[in-house]
Amino acid sequence: MSGSTFGEAFKITTFGESHGEAVGVIIDGITPGLEISEAEIQVQMDRRKPGQSSVTTPRKESDKVHIVSGIFEGKATGTPMMVVLYNHDMKSEAYSDIQNLFRPGHADYTYLKKYGIRDHRGSGRASGRETAGRVAAGAIARKSLEQRGVSIVAYTKEIGGIQCETYSEEVIEKNAVRACDPVAAEKMVKLIEGLAKEGNSCGGVVECRIRGVQPGLGEPVFDKIDADLAKAMLSIGAVKGIEFGAGFAAARMLGSEHNDHMNKDGFVTNNAGGILGGISTGEEIVFRVAVKPTSSISVPQKTIDVNGDEKPIVTEGRHDPSICPRIVPVIEAMACLVLEDHYKRQAALHA
Amino acid sequence: MSGSTFGEAFKITTFGESHGEAVGVIIDGITPGLEISEAEIQVQMDRRKPGQSSVTTPRKESDKVHIVSGIFEGKATGTPMMVVLYNHDMKSEAYSDIQNLFRPGHADYTYLKKYGIRDHRGSGRASGRETAGRVAAGAIARKSLEQRGVSIVAYTKEIGGIQCETYSEEVIEKNAVRACDPVAAEKMVKLIEGLAKEGNSCGGVVECRIRGVQPGLGEPVFDKIDADLAKAMLSIGAVKGIEFGAGFAAARMLGSEHNDHMNKDGFVTNNAGGILGGISTGEEIVFRVAVKPTSSISVPQKTIDVNGDEKPIVTEGRHDPSICPRIVPVIEAMACLVLEDHYKRQAALHA
Amino acid sequence: MSGSTFGEAFKITTFGESHGEAVGVIIDGITPGLEISEAEIQVQMDRRKPGQSSVTTPRKESDKVHIVSGIFEGKATGTPMMVVLYNHDMKSEAYSDIQNLFRPGHADYTYLKKYGIRDHRGSGRASGRETAGRVAAGAIARKSLEQRGVSIVAYTKEIGGIQCETYSEEVIEKNAVRACDPVAAEKMVKLIEGLAKEGNSCGGVVECRIRGVQPGLGEPVFDKIDADLAKAMLSIGAVKGIEFGAGFAAARMLGSEHNDHMNKDGFVTNNAGGILGGISTGEEIVFRVAVKPTSSISVPQKTIDVNGDEKPIVTEGRHDPSICPRIVPVIEAMACLVLEDHYKRQAALHA
Amino acid sequence: MSGSTFGEAFKITTFGESHGEAVGVIIDGITPGLEISEAEIQVQMDRRKPGQSSVTTPRKESDKVHIVSGIFEGKATGTPMMVVLYNHDMKSEAYSDIQNLFRPGHADYTYLKKYGIRDHRGSGRASGRETAGRVAAGAIARKSLEQRGVSIVAYTKEIGGIQCETYSEEVIEKNAVRACDPVAAEKMVKLIEGLAKEGNSCGGVVECRIRGVQPGLGEPVFDKIDADLAKAMLSIGAVKGIEFGAGFAAARMLGSEHNDHMNKDGFVTNNAGGILGGISTGEEIVFRVAVKPTSSISVPQKTIDVNGDEKPIVTEGRHDPSICPRIVPVIEAMACLVLEDHYKRQAALHA
């Protein structure tokens, strides 16, 4: 009801604010006996954390994973696992100057309108920091999915208009922007470094591929795999769009071009992006998300304050010129949550 | 869990198959005392029904709305309203030839894989006919939203590559494709008529605008208004993508271009599409969905049968060469459901 | 949210009013492939229907089961099954005299206060007739449970102070009050016939036994099997209490008396009623519910009307002097719904 | 699905084990702006904590309330409030002797059967300690309910067969057993002290009264106020039964005795316990719960170990001879959660 819970059979609830004491998550529905270590979760957390490279915010968060409950002798007990990440390098004072201003592109105005009260430090629950709990939960879902033979990989496909033209999975984690094309990656890094100097930011496109899902996963009619993935992705702050398979290009195709034929070996093409009628076809599930340029920029902007008076604003803070590299593990995490949930729901249906 | 329920505080569950006895919906959470008539619902139902024009399937469905429960002397009682629409013009025999074939682009294969059993007539629950119940429920949500001062309008923005270049709301319901540009509409109709003759189909883009939503509606962090709208839209069979505000174009913008500034009168621009941090800004909520070309075409295609043997297939049946005109009221209905639900959730939070 | 839905993985939503067109239910989560016939459901429906004997209301309802969706060639498809039961013998005019009076013991006053609007014919959703949908759904759950080796039986244990002193399952369906002791049953029937003449009614106790549930079913900590059964039973209009195993008698026992010891063959005693920590022990699950005397009596009573004016009231109508015999199949149905739901949830957890 | 979440519009999820690092709760749906302090929550927590008197376990838990999120400058922000209570005085080694034994009356056997894995220290999630999070959440619900004019009080009505014969609210918190009759309270204390010496335990009955609820609260047909209260109460480990108003005694009453008449001033009697058709009448909501004798006793008992071998068992540990005094605040907390949830649901329905 109040929006902080996701999933049904594999369910998470996140808590915590950007500049509060901690952020974290409760995960309920983990298969009992699943082996989980803080170190495994930390691997994913480190991919999301700030301060990784020249293209990410210099805010330092140790983002140290701490499991509080739901584990016994290295195995999930099947009861709620609470994972907490304490906040350290907060510098809330950086926000005192702008505490009464509505930062353009941020949720300051809408949160105040919704709640009538607002924690002005950082962005409270609307901060990207909230996603740390999702990544922790996603790491656990991923562990389970791996045992099911499912793999999930996301990567930057485009940043600031620069598109990847080759696809190599090995290079993704080896460049600062998590692009699938090392040549494009270099251009992207340069672009971002330039924008950082100007105090500006840019958007991009992240693509995700999910492999190993057998045909038949997903619930019609409202909880289609693509519907749930779309919700999952749009629940990430900076995401403004999603498309599956041929996506918006399908709008310009004929039926005779778009329909994926089948032969003995399965589907001949994959315009559907691995999903038909909301249910997995067994082909790769492919989708792309549109990521908006980071809202926090130090270019002067115009806004109003809580009294409605017009005011110039320059957001100092420490921010990512492009959020793409750090959103990649969040997208993967959300995809993992959706899939693990649907595997469990499928088991319930057939039980 | 099993995917046929949508919403939390304003909740619907649909039932029924394309070629079964009936399709319908139960709506729970209607504000007691809301005046509702079958005639009002019928208005929306008639916009969705087949056989409206030269560009829609000739299948005739009276689609006569029948309210079975939850109403007393013209007013909602606040208890579950069940609305049923009986199926009439079914011609299931048209499907007997292809009952063992997997129609390209359809959910035949995936449903069989999921359930291990399949109602081969029509597409069962995967049929567009399932959306009739949604439109009925949406009409009730719309009635309530109108009383809240909210209006929702969707229209064809692009079909088969032909784009609307002007915007006039008055023309939408006056052309067979529900386009916002009468000149483009004429071209679209011609294109579709041509495709119909060839037995082919085409996709398109539908845009939706929601006005009158006050700032502050939506639940962070997972149940953002855009996340819920994305799920709602992707739950419609033919939809392959969605974007809000600047959408995928935002991926190519700078922060300084994309951020919407504010002045005394509110937001200066609306790249955000009326949503920040998942919560309404008070500006128009704008999104576009990518609609794939109708899967049912009579152009010869290649597929396999349930035994895995390769077979040619020609889908005869009666189908829409482009689903855009008839998907418009479904998109509006789903948007209505999301909004009415969020209004009620907001009331619960502040109660 | 609005109270007409029960269950998570095996979920039902009921609709319809006592004197409307129909009552019914949508069941979502049925295992695909489960063989189901209207005749099987009818068997349970006939046990609940009015007019069975001298001790039940003479209202005649054919209560003919009609499956509208979710079935194909005799098997559940795994999609929502809608079952409808049309109302026939309504005599709503019998209620016109009392349409502005609040009948003692009925929900007339509370429904009006809640909704601000009330369908005064029968009791609307508060009528026992609403349970017809539950019994239909329960019959399907029971079919599945039988295949899991689970059996459920409920019976009258006490009526109007007359207690069963022997236990024989064979006699339950052979006496008009569904008691487990034929001698007590005879006395109960006489008592009820006497009360019927006086226009009065009496309460009773119904006991339910569930066998064949393996140890380990149930979800801690809020969705304990007993917690869910308690909710299920108290959701039946006339039920005012429930106790498991030793129940209220446990309040007067010592720990050394109440604790069930174990030996090689399992539990030595079953004071726990088959549930420890909310999870099944493998022993018989045993509970009893307190059933209040039927509220509709023709003895003169005092009440007020919608304007607050004091008025005498004599409820004519046609009613059961004791609801116990007809509540038995409803209790069984609700127990079936809880168990089937938990079996599916257990499968999801371990998937 | 997995049982650790309760409520819909005011929702809590608890986490943590008896002998883990901490127990706690996330509360989602708190009215934004509600003033809340750790001290206020602590008041309720202190009523539940062990070591309060001669009749409670000597285990010492500071049970210090710590709010981690969802609060800003003393007010609820409307986002998830996480409250944690660290475990200190655990003495897990006391459990090492019995780690392979199934303690009679405990959930050891059922948890192992359910999960295939078990945290043998304390009782894991089945421990009464899990309820600490509920009490914290309940304190917040209570704060809100007080502002609605609702008050909730529970008290020991009977212990070990000794019944309260007078009713005085002032004495409840002034005697060690939280009884409503000071004379009975003295006898109860003596009885418990005697049982403590013998290493035995006893059960009791706790009654709860809720005042100030206006007529019309509750959701038919499954989420009746009494159905939800029944689930809430049965979700407390030691509770084996519940009855509302006349309860099981209603089973022995005639309709003419049980029906509550109305006059100008409202209801003349309250056999219904303040609820008709699952909806509040405006009268006091009254229910009683049966509390079993504490399972942990040091009287020698017979059980089996994980290999099925018969073994004698003496549970040393530190336990409450009667759980009634400490269950009182838990019962109140659960009642608060149910009511606050229903107030918010009612607001959603009428929004």
Side-chain angles (χ1 to χ4, degrees):
Chain A
M1 276 288 293
S2 298
S4 290
T5 298
F6 188 82
E8 301 205 9
F10 189 88
K11 181 162 65 173
I12 71 164
T13 301
T14 69
F15 63 89
E17 291 82 23
S18 173
H19 285 64
E21 178 179 330
V23 294
V25 65
I26 293 182
I27 309 129
D28 203 14
I30 305 174
T31 308
L34 186 70
E35 290 185 22
I36 295 167
S37 69
E38 291 179 346
E40 283 170 301
I41 302 174
Q42 195 68 52
V43 170
Q44 295 303 323
M45 201 58 62
D46 289 348
R47 293 177 66 215
R48 194 210 73 93
K49 80 173 175 187
Q52 296 175 59
S53 76
S54 64
V55 300
T56 56
T57 167
R59 174 174 170 172
K60 292 265 185 285
E61 286 288 353
S62 63
D63 268 356
K64 203 174 154 356
V65 170
H66 181 56
I67 301 178
V68 173
S69 69
I71 198 158
F72 186 61
E73 298 178 346
K75 288 181 180 163
T77 58
T79 61
M81 185 172 291
M82 199 278 260
V83 181
V84 69
L85 301 124
Y86 292 99
N87 294 327
H88 295 297
D89 184 27
M90 298 184 286
K91 307 210 175 155
S92 301
E93 63 279 12
Y95 291 90
S96 57
D97 287 353
I98 56 165
Q99 68 177 44
N100 292 318
L101 296 183
F102 301 127
R103 291 169 298 161
H106 280 278
D108 302 344
Y109 176 74
T110 54
Y111 266 58
L112 185 60
K113 287 291 179 181
K114 177 174 183 63
Y115 293 109
I117 181 176
R118 182 168 75 91
D119 181 346
H120 62 263
R121 304 161 305 162
S123 299
R125 291 286 289 159
S127 165
R129 182 141 183 79
E130 177 275 334
T131 63
R134 308 189 192 193
V135 170
I140 294 164
R142 185 193 291 265
K143 181 79 186 282
S144 175
L145 289 166
E146 281 168 0
Q147 296 182 3
R148 303 182 194 279
V150 176
S151 69
I152 294 99
V153 60
Y155 45 87
T156 297
K157 175 103 177 168
E158 178 183 331
I159 275 185
I162 302 164
Q163 302 212 20
C164 288
E165 289 176 4
T166 62
Y167 180 72
S168 162
E169 266 178 43
E170 298 85 60
V171 307
I172 296 170
E173 293 297 314
K174 291 183 182 146
N175 65 75
V177 288
R178 292 204 166 89
C180 59
D181 169 354
V183 179
E186 254 182 83
K187 293 182 203 163
M188 291 170 182
V189 169
K190 269 183 201 147
L191 176 75
I192 291 173
E193 288 171 348
L195 288 169
K197 275 177 209 150
E198 299 166 22
N200 214 334
S201 66
C202 67
V205 174
V206 172
E207 189 166 69
C208 184
R209 294 175 188 238
I210 303 165
R211 297 187 192 108
V213 177
Q214 86 281 23
L217 199 74
E219 300 294 329
V221 299
F222 295 111
D223 298 351
K224 292 178 158 86
I225 279 278
D226 37 356
D228 275 0
L229 285 168
K231 178 180 167 100
M233 297 307 146
L234 268 298
S235 79
I236 304 171
V239 172
K240 297 302 285 181
I242 187 167
E243 58 175 13
F244 291 84
F248 276 86
R252 279 137 223 167
M253 292 166 81
L254 296 179
S256 56
E257 295 167 321
H258 183 266
N259 279 352
D260 299 312
H261 291 195
M262 296 186 81
N263 67 19
K264 274 188 230 186
D265 303 319
F267 289 89
V268 178
T269 50
N270 189 20
N271 287 314
I275 301 167
L276 282 173
I279 301 175
S280 62
T281 63
E283 296 299 300
E284 208 174 54
I285 296 175
V286 187
F287 61 88
R288 282 168 299 286
V289 302
V291 180
K292 73 173 185 178
T294 317
S295 300
S296 294
I297 54 177
S298 51
V299 173
Q301 299 181 92
K302 287 175 188 160
T303 192
I304 56 172
D305 64 15
V306 292
N307 303 312
D309 294 329
E310 301 188 350
K311 292 277 168 68
I313 185 168
V314 177
T315 319
E316 296 291 351
R318 297 157 298 170
H319 304 284
D320 297 275
S322 173
I323 202 66
C324 286
R326 289 181 61 209
I327 217 172
V328 160
V330 180
I331 284 170
E332 289 177 5
M334 291 308 297
C336 289
L337 293 176
V338 169
L339 287 166
E340 181 69 3
D341 188 46
H342 274 277
Y343 268 100
K344 286 178 171 279
R345 290 165 72 172
Q346 176 77 342
L349 182 67
H350 283 282
Chain B
M1 275 289 293
S2 298
S4 290
T5 298
F6 188 81
E8 302 204 8
F10 189 88
K11 182 161 65 172
I12 72 165
T13 301
T14 70
F15 64 87
E17 291 82 24
S18 174
H19 286 64
E21 177 179 331
V23 294
V25 66
I26 293 183
I27 309 131
D28 203 13
I30 305 174
T31 308
L34 186 71
E35 290 184 22
I36 295 167
S37 70
E38 291 179 346
E40 283 171 301
I41 303 174
Q42 195 67 54
V43 170
Q44 296 303 323
M45 201 59 61
D46 288 348
R47 294 176 66 214
R48 194 211 74 92
K49 81 174 177 187
Q52 297 174 58
S53 75
S54 64
V55 301
T56 57
T57 167
R59 173 175 172 172
K60 292 263 185 286
E61 285 289 351
S62 65
D63 268 357
K64 198 169 156 5
V65 169
H66 182 54
I67 301 178
V68 173
S69 68
I71 198 157
F72 186 61
E73 297 178 347
K75 290 181 179 164
T77 58
T79 61
M81 185 173 291
M82 199 278 259
V83 181
V84 69
L85 299 126
Y86 292 99
N87 295 327
H88 296 296
D89 184 26
M90 297 185 286
K91 307 207 175 156
S92 302
E93 63 280 11
Y95 292 90
S96 57
D97 288 353
I98 57 166
Q99 68 177 47
N100 292 318
L101 297 184
F102 302 126
R103 291 168 297 161
H106 279 278
D108 302 345
Y109 176 73
T110 55
Y111 265 59
L112 185 61
K113 287 291 178 180
K114 175 173 185 64
Y115 294 108
I117 180 176
R118 183 167 75 90
D119 181 346
H120 62 265
R121 304 160 306 161
S123 298
R125 291 286 288 159
S127 165
R129 181 141 183 79
E130 177 275 333
T131 63
R134 308 189 191 195
V135 170
I140 294 164
R142 184 193 292 262
K143 180 80 185 283
S144 176
L145 289 166
E146 280 168 0
Q147 297 182 2
R148 303 181 194 281
V150 176
S151 69
I152 293 99
V153 59
Y155 45 86
T156 297
K157 174 102 177 169
E158 177 183 331
I159 275 184
I162 303 164
Q163 302 212 17
C164 288
E165 290 176 5
T166 60
Y167 180 71
S168 162
E169 266 178 42
E170 297 85 61
V171 307
I172 297 170
E173 292 297 314
K174 293 183 182 146
N175 66 75
V177 287
R178 293 204 165 87
C180 59
D181 169 354
V183 179
E186 253 182 83
K187 294 183 202 163
M188 291 169 180
V189 170
K190 269 185 201 147
L191 176 75
I192 292 173
E193 288 170 350
L195 288 169
K197 275 176 209 150
E198 299 166 23
N200 214 334
S201 65
C202 67
V205 174
V206 172
E207 190 166 67
C208 183
R209 295 174 188 238
I210 302 165
R211 299 188 191 108
V213 178
Q214 87 281 23
L217 199 75
E219 300 294 328
V221 301
F222 294 112
D223 298 351
K224 292 177 159 88
I225 279 277
D226 38 355
D228 276 359
L229 284 168
K231 179 181 166 99
M233 297 307 145
L234 269 297
S235 79
I236 304 170
V239 173
K240 297 303 284 183
I242 187 167
E243 58 176 12
F244 291 84
F248 275 87
R252 278 136 224 167
M253 292 166 83
L254 297 180
S256 55
E257 295 168 320
H258 184 265
N259 279 353
D260 299 313
H261 291 196
M262 296 186 83
N263 66 19
K264 274 186 231 185
D265 304 320
F267 288 89
V268 178
T269 51
N270 188 20
N271 286 314
I275 301 167
L276 282 174
I279 301 176
S280 62
T281 63
E283 297 298 301
E284 210 175 55
I285 296 175
V286 187
F287 61 86
R288 283 168 298 285
V289 304
V291 180
K292 72 173 187 179
T294 316
S295 300
S296 294
I297 55 177
S298 51
V299 175
Q301 301 180 90
K302 288 175 187 163
T303 191
I304 57 173
D305 64 15
V306 293
N307 303 314
D309 294 330
E310 301 187 352
K311 292 278 168 65
I313 186 168
V314 177
T315 318
E316 295 294 352
R318 297 157 297 170
H319 304 283
D320 297 275
S322 172
I323 202 67
C324 285
R326 288 182 61 210
I327 217 172
V328 160
V330 181
I331 284 170
E332 289 177 4
M334 293 307 297
C336 289
L337 293 176
V338 169
L339 287 167
E340 182 67 3
D341 188 47
H342 274 276
Y343 268 99
K344 286 177 170 280
R345 291 165 73 172
Q346 176 77 342
L349 181 66
H350 283 281
Chain C
M1 277 289 291
S2 298
S4 290
T5 298
F6 188 82
E8 302 204 8
F10 188 87
K11 184 162 64 174
I12 72 164
T13 301
T14 69
F15 64 88
E17 290 82 24
S18 173
H19 285 64
E21 178 179 331
V23 294
V25 66
I26 294 183
I27 309 131
D28 203 13
I30 304 174
T31 308
L34 185 71
E35 290 184 24
I36 295 168
S37 70
E38 291 180 345
E40 283 170 302
I41 302 174
Q42 195 68 54
V43 170
Q44 295 304 322
M45 201 59 62
D46 288 348
R47 293 177 66 215
R48 195 211 73 93
K49 82 172 174 188
Q52 296 175 59
S53 74
S54 64
V55 300
T56 57
T57 167
R59 175 175 171 173
K60 292 265 184 286
E61 286 287 353
S62 65
D63 269 356
K64 199 170 157 0
V65 169
H66 181 55
I67 301 178
V68 173
S69 68
I71 198 158
F72 187 61
E73 299 178 347
K75 288 179 181 167
T77 58
T79 61
M81 183 172 293
M82 200 278 261
V83 181
V84 70
L85 300 125
Y86 292 99
N87 294 328
H88 295 296
D89 183 26
M90 295 184 286
K91 307 208 175 158
S92 301
E93 63 280 12
Y95 292 90
S96 57
D97 288 351
I98 54 165
Q99 69 178 41
N100 292 318
L101 295 184
F102 302 127
R103 291 169 297 161
H106 279 277
D108 301 344
Y109 176 74
T110 55
Y111 266 59
L112 185 61
K113 287 293 178 178
K114 175 174 185 64
Y115 293 108
I117 182 176
R118 181 168 75 91
D119 182 344
H120 62 264
R121 304 162 305 163
S123 300
R125 292 287 286 159
S127 165
R129 181 139 183 82
E130 178 275 335
T131 63
R134 309 188 191 194
V135 170
I140 294 164
R142 184 193 293 262
K143 182 81 186 281
S144 176
L145 289 166
E146 280 168 0
Q147 296 182 2
R148 303 181 194 281
V150 176
S151 70
I152 293 99
V153 60
Y155 45 87
T156 297
K157 175 100 175 168
E158 177 184 331
I159 276 185
I162 303 164
Q163 303 211 19
C164 288
E165 291 177 3
T166 62
Y167 181 71
S168 162
E169 267 179 42
E170 298 86 60
V171 307
I172 296 170
E173 293 297 314
K174 292 183 182 147
N175 65 76
V177 288
R178 292 203 165 89
C180 59
D181 169 354
V183 179
E186 253 182 84
K187 294 181 200 165
M188 291 169 180
V189 169
K190 270 183 201 148
L191 175 74
I192 292 173
E193 288 171 347
L195 288 169
K197 274 175 210 154
E198 300 166 21
N200 213 334
S201 66
C202 67
V205 174
V206 172
E207 190 166 68
C208 184
R209 296 176 187 236
I210 304 165
R211 300 189 190 106
V213 178
Q214 86 282 22
L217 199 74
E219 299 294 327
V221 298
F222 295 112
D223 298 350
K224 292 177 159 88
I225 279 277
D226 37 356
D228 276 359
L229 285 168
K231 178 180 166 101
M233 297 307 144
L234 269 296
S235 79
I236 305 171
V239 173
K240 297 302 285 181
I242 188 168
E243 57 175 12
F244 292 84
F248 275 86
R252 279 139 222 166
M253 292 166 83
L254 298 179
S256 55
E257 294 167 322
H258 183 266
N259 279 352
D260 299 313
H261 291 194
M262 296 187 81
N263 66 21
K264 275 188 230 185
D265 304 319
F267 288 88
V268 177
T269 51
N270 188 20
N271 287 313
I275 302 168
L276 282 174
I279 302 175
S280 62
T281 63
E283 297 298 301
E284 208 175 55
I285 296 176
V286 186
F287 62 87
R288 282 168 300 284
V289 303
V291 180
K292 72 173 184 179
T294 316
S295 300
S296 295
I297 53 177
S298 50
V299 173
Q301 299 180 91
K302 289 175 189 164
T303 191
I304 56 173
D305 64 15
V306 292
N307 302 313
D309 294 328
E310 301 188 351
K311 292 278 169 67
I313 187 168
V314 177
T315 319
E316 295 293 350
R318 296 157 298 169
H319 304 283
D320 296 275
S322 173
I323 203 66
C324 286
R326 290 181 60 209
I327 218 172
V328 160
V330 181
I331 285 170
E332 288 177 5
M334 292 307 298
C336 288
L337 294 175
V338 169
L339 287 167
E340 182 68 3
D341 187 48
H342 274 276
Y343 269 98
K344 286 178 172 280
R345 292 165 72 172
Q346 176 78 340
L349 181 68
H350 283 282
Chain D
M1 277 289 292
S2 297
S4 290
T5 298
F6 188 82
E8 301 204 10
F10 188 89
K11 182 162 65 172
I12 72 164
T13 302
T14 69
F15 63 88
E17 291 82 24
S18 173
H19 287 64
E21 178 179 330
V23 294
V25 65
I26 293 182
I27 309 130
D28 204 12
I30 305 174
T31 308
L34 185 71
E35 290 184 23
I36 295 167
S37 70
E38 292 179 346
E40 283 171 301
I41 303 175
Q42 195 69 53
V43 170
Q44 295 304 323
M45 202 56 65
D46 288 348
R47 294 176 67 214
R48 194 212 73 94
K49 81 174 175 188
Q52 296 174 59
S53 75
S54 63
V55 300
T56 58
T57 167
R59 175 173 171 174
K60 291 263 184 287
E61 285 288 352
S62 65
D63 266 358
K64 201 172 155 357
V65 169
H66 181 53
I67 301 178
V68 173
S69 69
I71 198 157
F72 187 60
E73 299 178 345
K75 289 180 179 164
T77 58
T79 60
M81 184 171 293
M82 199 278 260
V83 181
V84 69
L85 300 126
Y86 292 99
N87 295 327
H88 295 296
D89 182 27
M90 296 184 288
K91 308 211 175 155
S92 301
E93 64 278 14
Y95 292 91
S96 56
D97 287 353
I98 55 165
Q99 67 176 45
N100 292 319
L101 296 184
F102 301 126
R103 291 169 299 161
H106 279 278
D108 301 344
Y109 176 73
T110 55
Y111 266 59
L112 185 62
K113 286 293 178 179
K114 175 173 186 63
Y115 293 108
I117 180 176
R118 182 168 74 91
D119 182 346
H120 62 265
R121 305 161 306 162
S123 299
R125 291 286 287 161
S127 165
R129 183 144 182 77
E130 178 274 334
T131 62
R134 309 189 191 193
V135 170
I140 293 163
R142 184 193 292 263
K143 181 79 186 282
S144 175
L145 289 167
E146 280 169 0
Q147 297 182 3
R148 302 182 195 279
V150 176
S151 70
I152 294 99
V153 59
Y155 46 85
T156 296
K157 174 99 176 171
E158 177 184 331
I159 276 185
I162 303 164
Q163 302 212 19
C164 287
E165 291 177 3
T166 61
Y167 180 70
S168 162
E169 266 179 42
E170 297 87 60
V171 307
I172 296 170
E173 292 298 312
K174 291 183 183 148
N175 66 75
V177 287
R178 291 201 168 90
C180 59
D181 169 355
V183 179
E186 252 182 84
K187 293 182 202 164
M188 292 170 179
V189 170
K190 270 183 200 147
L191 175 75
I192 292 173
E193 287 172 349
L195 288 169
K197 275 177 208 150
E198 298 166 23
N200 213 334
S201 65
C202 67
V205 174
V206 172
E207 189 166 69
C208 184
R209 295 176 187 235
I210 303 166
R211 298 188 192 108
V213 177
Q214 87 281 22
L217 198 76
E219 300 294 328
V221 298
F222 295 113
D223 298 351
K224 292 177 159 87
I225 279 277
D226 38 354
D228 277 0
L229 284 169
K231 178 179 166 102
M233 297 308 144
L234 269 297
S235 79
I236 305 171
V239 172
K240 296 302 285 181
I242 187 167
E243 57 176 12
F244 291 84
F248 275 86
R252 277 138 224 165
M253 291 165 84
L254 297 179
S256 55
E257 295 168 318
H258 183 266
N259 279 353
D260 299 312
H261 291 196
M262 296 186 83
N263 65 20
K264 275 187 227 183
D265 303 320
F267 289 89
V268 178
T269 50
N270 189 20
N271 286 314
I275 302 167
L276 282 174
I279 301 176
S280 62
T281 62
E283 297 298 301
E284 210 175 55
I285 296 176
V286 187
F287 62 87
R288 282 168 298 285
V289 303
V291 180
K292 73 174 185 178
T294 317
S295 299
S296 294
I297 53 176
S298 51
V299 174
Q301 299 180 92
K302 288 176 188 162
T303 191
I304 57 172
D305 65 14
V306 293
N307 302 313
D309 294 329
E310 302 188 352
K311 291 279 169 66
I313 186 169
V314 177
T315 318
E316 295 293 352
R318 296 158 298 169
H319 304 284
D320 296 275
S322 173
I323 203 67
C324 286
R326 289 182 61 210
I327 217 172
V328 160
V330 180
I331 284 170
E332 288 177 5
M334 292 307 298
C336 289
L337 294 175
V338 169
L339 287 167
E340 182 67 4
D341 189 47
H342 274 276
Y343 268 98
K344 286 177 170 280
R345 292 165 72 172
Q346 176 78 340
L349 181 67
H350 283 282

